[in-house]
Amino acid sequence: MLALRLIERKRDGGHIEPGEWRALAYAYAAGHVPDYQMASFLMACFLRGLDRSETHALTDAMLHSGDSLDLAYLNRPRIDKHSTGGVGDKVSLVLAPLIASLGVAVPMMSGRGLGHTGGTLDKLESIPGFDTRMPLLEARRLIETLNCALFGQTEEIAPADRKMYALRDATGTVESIPLIAASIMSKKLAEGLTGLVLDVKRGSGAFLPQLERGLELAKTMIELGADHNCPVVALVTAMDRPLGRACGNALEMEESIHALKGEGPADLMEVTYALGSEMLLLAGAARTGAEALQMMEQAIADGSAARHFQRIIEAQGGNPSVVDDPAILPQANEVEIFVAPRRGFISRVEPRAIGRGITALGGGRTKMDDKLDLSVGFVITARPGDWVEAGEPLATVFARDRAGIDSGRATLRTAIAIADEANPPLALVSHRVSAAGVEVLAAG
Amino acid sequence: MLALRLIERKRDGGHIEPGEWRALAYAYAAGHVPDYQMASFLMACFLRGLDRSETHALTDAMLHSGDSLDLAYLNRPRIDKHSTGGVGDKVSLVLAPLIASLGVAVPMMSGRGLGHTGGTLDKLESIPGFDTRMPLLEARRLIETLNCALFGQTEEIAPADRKMYALRDATGTVESIPLIAASIMSKKLAEGLTGLVLDVKRGSGAFLPQLERGLELAKTMIELGADHNCPVVALVTAMDRPLGRACGNALEMEESIHALKGEGPADLMEVTYALGSEMLLLAGAARTGAEALQMMEQAIADGSAARHFQRIIEAQGGNPSVVDDPAILPQANEVEIFVAPRRGFISRVEPRAIGRGITALGGGRTKMDDKLDLSVGFVITARPGDWVEAGEPLATVFARDRAGIDSGRATLRTAIAIADEANPPLALVSHRVSAAGVEVLAAG
């Protein structure tokens, strides 16, 4: 009866009170509200929207449906980074050990890949032995000793959100700003953060391609953070092409290790440093962006970031020698170079096509219980705006077998466009959003 | 995947094609689309609306998800009446035998009571032995021989609608004009009609209390009928007070028998004759309203309507002597007169309160599997606008026990209001809606 009353109220544009959100989230998590009622309610939320107090109350309700990482006793800043997801986006793999090595706690609860975007947990698990499943107590111990734990959302964290997210995925109610914001923030607040940096992707490969929608999400998350004593800063970054060169789980792990050793591609480093600066500033570990950048470059140059990653890998059951010898990562059986079919400017490297291509190779999921081949993917050296001659190598396909190579070649033919005129890509880091408002960092 | 695509399209205000409605209805009826996806889709339909071609396609899809009564071979007009539902609305019980006795086939598939409104099937089942469950073939045989079958929606009829209606009831998606219209018409078209008369209730006890919404429903049903070669005419009638005097299953059956024998209350007869005239005109059995009225009055005066009801009762397993001796209907254990607590004008007899009061007595349902006590209810002789003295009898409570009498008394105290000034009730039959448009029959 409660659920039906709330469905009808939200359907008619009415307001749901904090106690009602709490009762609904608890009842749903406990199985007292059937999926079909929650589905109807979520569609009403999608179409009618949630106001700020409702979004706040839903976040709280989902957060308190489960446990939290209580880390206040650490007396250390605790900062996480969240990305809205993209292709080739391995920033977390570089940033978590790098920032943790600088004395800031990074309790990084991540997800798995679904659809065209990859997931941090899958990439980490390409390291032999690496275990991302742990109870909250173990995550706490790791954060205490190493400033970092790289783990998945446990059953204990925001169970109402877990169940609701799976339902939204099946009922066409994912792309709602308040529902997305509440879902992310309920999990992030469960990490016991003192600050959060948000990487809002825009462009054709982003979850919310339009800038306006990305800014709206950032604004909503910033408000939620302010309501919960967790300041949030967001950067808008480009996802009209993959980030870095490697796309695929083990391939991205390898590129991240290179990045931690000072050999990362320029675009990956630019985004990593931009987000890392915000983390260090939120933590109070640096006073200016220039100081933050200098700290990070130093940690990479002197090897302390890479060494810190080794310690984290070891603590999570992985083989730490991967940092010195990435060749112990899973290797694809078949490898083939893809060359330019004609001369011209690279006008487009379409992230969605690449992401779907990884899934076609067996390295991505269309549903949550798909098993992955972590070795497969693409390394794409061609960048939008490059001039190329016919026959020039643009990318490499990594596949399980010859059929995979054929599939990968077909993917690259669709994903990489060559034209007579250059088509300028989006600015890599274009906007900064904080409680003070939106700052344009770069045009385009 | 189909369902998710259609959810997203409807959510975003897009159009669903006829083949897609068909595929969705079939897949849902067959259990291939889960309830939670259908619930989300229905809420999107509720909030985004359906255009005429979509409403038509949904009606067709639900109609063709099951069997139909194929009656074309009869070469007789086949007309049914449908009411949007009210309290004390026993018109079908009078109209079906009356019109059938005049040579028009009335294949009347009816429903059960739910919420504050009663159901024709429950009322019929108060006749000892009367069986409303029959396969379509049996209904066809009865219509062939007696022009009438009084039966419930079988598993064979519009199974997609059956399942969808139950889901809508639980997910806050009932009060949508296109969904209501498609649901009613899919069942009515399955009766193989050549015409349909619609009784659209308005006022506080109506399913859609506002006149505008009732007219919109009528217009939608008329369009659907036109699209399916089944002309529809609608009358708007008052449901700001119960219709007739008896409210409760056996009590309404008894009043209907009296009505068929020429002793019905004036308001019940006025609505019955108004709807019956439209049926006879649609059937081509009368050329004018005056002629139709004369035919009906004659059939009641000469006893042929009552005798026809006896034959129908007998054919459906009931005890036909009920027509001569209504005392064989279930009788309540306890009966008490309710008197006016003060002098004044009867300013209100609230149908929803009466309907809920019947449920409280055990004579109505809050969920479909509730068992009913068919003997209980109210007979309300006081009409809005009447002047009454303190202590004057206004109504009678029929209950199972003394606790029921107390509950019934409390119901009447709430439902019947007495004031110093008369409060004019709605006009009994106020509007006629046909393909030609809306005609105002009476002001107020």
Side-chain angles (χ1 to χ4, degrees):
Chain A
M1 282 311 285
L2 165 81
L4 188 54
R5 217 171 56 230
L6 300 185
I7 292 169
E8 289 172 347
R9 179 135 30 99
K10 183 44 79 182
R11 177 195 76 191
D12 298 339
H15 185 90
I16 311 286
E17 299 299 327
E20 295 172 325
W21 285 107
R22 213 154 41 226
L24 184 66
Y26 286 7
Y28 183 57
H32 301 318
V33 168
D35 281 340
Y36 54 81
Q37 287 192 321
M38 185 51 86
S40 166
F41 180 75
L42 288 169
M43 181 56 83
C45 289
F46 189 106
L47 289 173
R48 290 296 194 174
L50 268 57
D51 67 22
R52 178 171 173 166
S53 81
E54 291 181 306
T55 311
H56 176 121
L58 171 59
T59 306
D60 262 358
M62 297 199 296
L63 167 62
H64 295 304
S65 73
D67 265 0
S68 297
L69 260 179
D70 182 8
L71 296 171
Y73 71 98
L74 280 181
N75 279 320
R76 239 177 284 165
R78 303 174 299 278
I79 314 286
D80 194 6
K81 183 228 56 158
H82 179 83
S83 158
T84 59
V87 175
D89 180 8
K90 70 279 291 175
V91 171
S92 291
L93 303 176
V94 186
L95 212 45
L98 173 59
I99 301 300
S101 80
L102 292 167
V104 176
V106 184
M108 191 173 269
M109 193 166 65
S110 307
R112 298 197 176 271
L114 188 62
H116 74 282
T117 61
T120 297
L121 298 181
D122 300 320
K123 296 171 195 174
L124 285 166
E125 287 173 359
S126 69
I127 299 172
F130 198 99
D131 191 0
T132 61
R133 281 160 303 190
M134 63 183 81
L136 280 184
L137 259 164
E138 172 65 6
R140 195 151 87 158
R141 198 187 59 78
L142 288 174
I143 294 159
E144 206 176 300
T145 54
L146 289 169
N147 275 333
C148 186
L150 301 167
F151 62 111
Q153 184 178 358
T154 67
E155 304 271 327
E156 308 150 277
I157 295 280
D161 169 69
R162 280 170 70 88
K163 204 174 160 186
M164 226 182 277
Y165 190 85
L167 185 65
R168 283 169 56 210
D169 194 50
T171 57
T173 49
V174 170
E175 298 91 345
S176 152
I177 302 276
L179 295 182
I180 296 168
S183 173
I184 298 172
M185 284 303 280
S186 68
K187 286 174 284 198
K188 289 296 154 188
L189 291 168
E191 295 174 355
L193 300 180
T194 60
L196 174 67
V197 176
L198 189 63
D199 180 3
V200 179
K201 302 292 187 191
R202 70 158 166 157
S204 59
F207 176 57
L208 299 172
Q210 292 162 302
L211 175 61
E212 297 67 36
R213 298 266 288 162
L215 291 176
E216 198 188 329
L217 177 64
K219 190 170 152 277
T220 307
M221 301 265 298
I222 287 163
E223 285 175 357
L224 281 177
D227 290 345
H228 286 89
N229 290 316
C230 173
V232 175
V233 172
L235 297 180
V236 178
T237 71
M239 189 39 67
D240 57 338
R241 72 278 192 183
L243 183 63
R245 290 187 289 252
C247 301
N249 296 290
L251 297 166
E252 294 188 43
M253 190 68 247
E254 181 175 353
E255 187 168 82
S256 303
I257 291 170
H258 287 307
L260 279 167
K261 296 199 284 190
E263 296 148 20
D267 62 340
L268 173 62
M269 295 321 293
E270 184 180 337
V271 172
T272 301
Y273 286 145
L275 293 163
S277 287
E278 298 295 347
M279 291 175 81
L280 292 170
L281 289 168
L282 272 178
R287 276 156 306 174
T288 65
E291 187 188 347
L293 181 61
Q294 190 267 327
M295 287 164 71
M296 291 186 285
E297 285 178 338
Q298 173 74 29
I300 284 179
D302 68 14
S304 56
R307 276 197 307 278
H308 202 79
F309 192 32
Q310 268 182 319
R311 278 185 219 112
I312 295 168
I313 293 170
E314 195 163 19
Q316 296 198 212
N319 184 345
S321 61
V322 71
V323 174
D324 299 317
D325 180 15
I328 70 168
L329 291 167
Q331 302 293 316
N333 294 329
E334 299 281 344
V335 179
E336 190 177 277
I337 304 283
F338 178 82
V339 299
R342 55 162 285 195
R343 72 193 314 227
F345 288 103
I346 302 289
S347 63
R348 192 166 48 80
V349 180
E350 178 50 48
R352 271 178 201 265
I354 298 293
R356 280 196 295 260
I358 295 170
T359 301
L361 291 174
R365 284 186 190 80
T366 51
K367 44 186 204 302
M368 272 324 282
D369 51 0
D370 287 346
K371 288 268 165 287
L372 301 190
D373 181 340
L374 298 172
S375 72
V376 301
F378 304 94
V379 171
I380 305 166
T381 45
R383 313 298 307 165
D386 288 355
W387 171 264
V388 295
E389 295 291 337
E392 189 179 323
L394 302 183
T396 311
V397 183
F398 295 80
R400 191 164 11 193
D401 49 29
R402 292 309 300 171
I405 293 293
D406 293 341
S407 152
R409 204 187 298 119
T411 292
L412 292 174
R413 262 200 300 264
T414 311
I416 303 179
I418 301 177
D420 294 333
E421 280 172 47
N423 180 15
L426 292 174
L428 195 56
V429 183
S430 58
H431 300 73
R432 180 180 188 276
V433 195
S434 69
V438 180
E439 193 182 339
V440 180
L441 303 176
Chain B
M1 282 310 286
L2 166 81
L4 188 54
R5 217 170 57 229
L6 300 186
I7 292 169
E8 290 172 346
R9 178 131 36 94
K10 182 45 77 182
R11 177 195 76 192
D12 297 339
H15 185 91
I16 311 286
E17 300 298 329
E20 294 171 327
W21 286 106
R22 215 155 39 227
L24 185 65
Y26 286 8
Y28 182 59
H32 301 318
V33 169
D35 281 340
Y36 54 81
Q37 287 192 321
M38 186 52 84
S40 167
F41 180 75
L42 288 169
M43 181 55 84
C45 289
F46 189 106
L47 289 173
R48 290 297 196 173
L50 268 56
D51 67 22
R52 177 170 174 167
S53 82
E54 290 181 307
T55 311
H56 175 121
L58 171 58
T59 306
D60 262 358
M62 296 199 297
L63 168 62
H64 295 305
S65 74
D67 264 0
S68 298
L69 261 179
D70 182 8
L71 296 172
Y73 71 98
L74 281 182
N75 279 320
R76 239 176 284 165
R78 303 173 298 278
I79 315 285
D80 194 6
K81 185 231 50 160
H82 179 85
S83 158
T84 59
V87 176
D89 180 8
K90 71 280 290 174
V91 171
S92 291
L93 303 176
V94 187
L95 212 43
L98 173 59
I99 301 300
S101 79
L102 291 168
V104 176
V106 184
M108 192 174 268
M109 194 165 67
S110 306
R112 297 196 177 273
L114 188 62
H116 74 283
T117 61
T120 297
L121 298 181
D122 300 321
K123 296 170 195 174
L124 285 167
E125 288 173 0
S126 69
I127 300 173
F130 198 99
D131 191 0
T132 61
R133 281 159 304 189
M134 63 183 80
L136 281 184
L137 259 163
E138 173 64 6
R140 196 151 86 159
R141 197 188 59 78
L142 288 174
I143 294 159
E144 207 176 300
T145 53
L146 289 170
N147 275 334
C148 186
L150 300 167
F151 61 111
Q153 184 178 359
T154 67
E155 304 269 328
E156 309 149 279
I157 295 280
D161 169 69
R162 277 170 72 88
K163 204 173 160 187
M164 227 181 276
Y165 189 85
L167 185 65
R168 282 169 57 209
D169 194 52
T171 57
T173 49
V174 169
E175 299 91 345
S176 152
I177 303 275
L179 295 181
I180 296 167
S183 173
I184 299 171
M185 284 303 280
S186 68
K187 286 174 286 199
K188 290 296 155 189
L189 291 169
E191 295 175 355
L193 301 180
T194 61
L196 174 67
V197 176
L198 189 62
D199 181 2
V200 179
K201 303 292 188 192
R202 70 159 166 156
S204 60
F207 176 57
L208 299 173
Q210 292 163 304
L211 175 62
E212 298 66 37
R213 298 265 289 161
L215 292 177
E216 197 188 329
L217 177 63
K219 191 171 153 275
T220 306
M221 301 267 298
I222 288 164
E223 284 175 357
L224 280 176
D227 291 346
H228 287 89
N229 290 315
C230 174
V232 175
V233 172
L235 297 180
V236 178
T237 72
M239 189 40 67
D240 57 339
R241 71 279 192 182
L243 183 63
R245 290 187 289 250
C247 301
N249 296 290
L251 296 167
E252 293 188 44
M253 191 69 247
E254 182 175 352
E255 187 168 81
S256 304
I257 290 169
H258 288 307
L260 278 167
K261 296 199 283 188
E263 296 148 20
D267 62 341
L268 173 61
M269 295 321 292
E270 184 180 339
V271 172
T272 301
Y273 286 145
L275 294 164
S277 286
E278 298 295 346
M279 291 175 80
L280 292 170
L281 289 168
L282 272 178
R287 276 155 306 174
T288 65
E291 187 188 346
L293 181 61
Q294 191 268 325
M295 287 165 71
M296 291 186 287
E297 285 178 338
Q298 173 74 30
I300 284 180
D302 68 14
S304 56
R307 276 197 308 278
H308 202 78
F309 192 33
Q310 268 183 318
R311 280 185 218 112
I312 295 168
I313 294 169
E314 194 161 20
Q316 295 198 215
N319 184 345
S321 60
V322 71
V323 174
D324 298 317
D325 181 15
I328 70 169
L329 291 167
Q331 301 293 316
N333 294 330
E334 298 281 345
V335 178
E336 191 176 276
I337 304 284
F338 179 83
V339 299
R342 54 162 285 195
R343 73 193 313 229
F345 288 102
I346 302 288
S347 63
R348 192 166 46 79
V349 180
E350 178 51 49
R352 271 178 201 267
I354 299 293
R356 280 195 296 260
I358 295 171
T359 301
L361 291 174
R365 285 186 190 81
T366 51
K367 44 186 204 302
M368 271 324 283
D369 51 359
D370 286 347
K371 288 269 166 284
L372 301 190
D373 181 340
L374 298 173
S375 71
V376 301
F378 304 94
V379 171
I380 305 167
T381 45
R383 313 297 307 165
D386 288 355
W387 171 264
V388 295
E389 295 292 338
E392 189 178 323
L394 302 182
T396 312
V397 182
F398 296 80
R400 192 164 10 193
D401 49 28
R402 291 311 300 172
I405 293 293
D406 293 342
S407 151
R409 204 186 299 119
T411 292
L412 292 174
R413 262 201 299 266
T414 312
I416 303 179
I418 301 177
D420 293 334
E421 278 170 49
N423 180 14
L426 292 174
L428 195 56
V429 183
S430 58
H431 300 72
R432 180 180 187 274
V433 195
S434 68
V438 180
E439 195 181 338
V440 180
L441 303 176

